[in-house]
Amino acid sequence: MGRRFTLAATGARAERANPAGPCAHDIHWAAERRTAIRAASLLLTTLLVVDTGVGHLSFPRAALWSGLAALFFLILLPPRVFARPGVLTVRGVLVEHSVRTDSLVSVHWFDGVAQRMVLRDVEGSVVEIDPTVLARNPALWRRFDADALASLRSGTLACGATALRQLAERIDRETARTVFKVSGLH
């Protein structure tokens, strides 16, 4: 379905997942990756220093703390999000999910502490994305919005027009707030 291992995406399916055209990506991903590296390094350093100070540091304990820091890094590392014309791709540590944004069937927005938007296309592929990624990346939002509108016009989007409208309104509010703040009219 929509789940593919990065190395396994070959043939015609890979061509649909990576069409030619300009690629918009999450411009904040590299900074978030650096933050995850720093946090994991700080955790490892703290654990090693405390263990050394107490006098219990050994090779097995150092390996355990290193594994814990690596796990902490993997939890904090955000997925990479990028879009090409007609395709939105979310790449995690082990898997890559792609969805045809020009032929969406449903869009569900789960509001709450950890907001999630689930996109499903006509091929059955599913992508789960944090809507703030779209809100913080204008190029990514424009690419997604244009394709989602094409999906709405073609009639494939049966469920989710309200969620898309709410997301567009939220992004417009945040953009207006930013413009007012930058121009000093806040």
Side-chain angles (χ1 to χ4, degrees):
M1 291 257 205
R3 295 177 184 230
R4 289 185 296 281
F5 286 94
T6 305
L7 298 176
T10 59
R13 184 114 178 156
E15 290 173 14
R16 285 195 309 267
N18 297 314
C23 180
H25 59 89
D26 183 3
I27 58 176
H28 302 283
W29 182 82
E32 291 175 356
R33 181 185 60 188
R34 282 191 299 272
T35 301
I37 290 170
R38 287 184 194 126
S41 299
L42 181 63
L43 176 67
L44 178 61
T45 303
T46 303
L47 290 170
L48 291 176
V49 166
V50 168
D51 226 14
T52 302
V54 175
H56 295 295
L57 185 63
S58 64
F59 181 75
R61 289 178 68 96
L64 174 71
W65 298 142
S66 298
L68 183 64
L71 179 64
F72 187 60
F73 168 73
L74 291 176
I75 290 170
L76 292 179
L77 183 66
R80 246 186 135 154
V81 178
F82 55 94
R84 289 199 165 104
V87 178
L88 180 78
T89 303
V90 177
R91 183 179 296 162
V93 176
L94 297 177
V95 293
E96 179 178 293
H97 303 277
S98 293
V99 69
R100 297 285 312 182
T101 51
D102 56 357
S103 59
L104 289 173
V105 173
S106 68
V107 177
H108 295 285
W109 187 358
F110 300 100
D111 211 1
V113 175
Q115 295 183 3
R116 292 282 156 218
M117 192 165 61
V118 178
L119 310 170
R120 183 179 309 271
D121 68 7
V122 294
E123 295 175 353
S125 300
V126 177
V127 165
E128 186 175 314
I129 185 173
D130 183 358
T132 58
V133 171
L134 296 172
R136 294 181 314 167
N137 295 284
L140 194 59
W141 165 246
R142 283 192 302 272
R143 176 81 267 146
F144 173 75
D145 187 40
D147 291 340
L149 286 175
S151 176
L152 190 60
R153 284 189 205 111
S154 70
T156 60
L157 186 62
C159 178
T162 304
L164 287 174
R165 188 176 59 250
Q166 289 173 343
L167 180 61
E169 289 171 357
R170 174 183 167 193
I171 291 174
D172 289 344
R173 270 194 314 274
E174 290 179 13
T175 302
R177 191 176 301 127
T178 303
V179 168
F180 285 139
K181 187 183 289 185
V182 168
S183 64
L185 298 174
H186 181 59

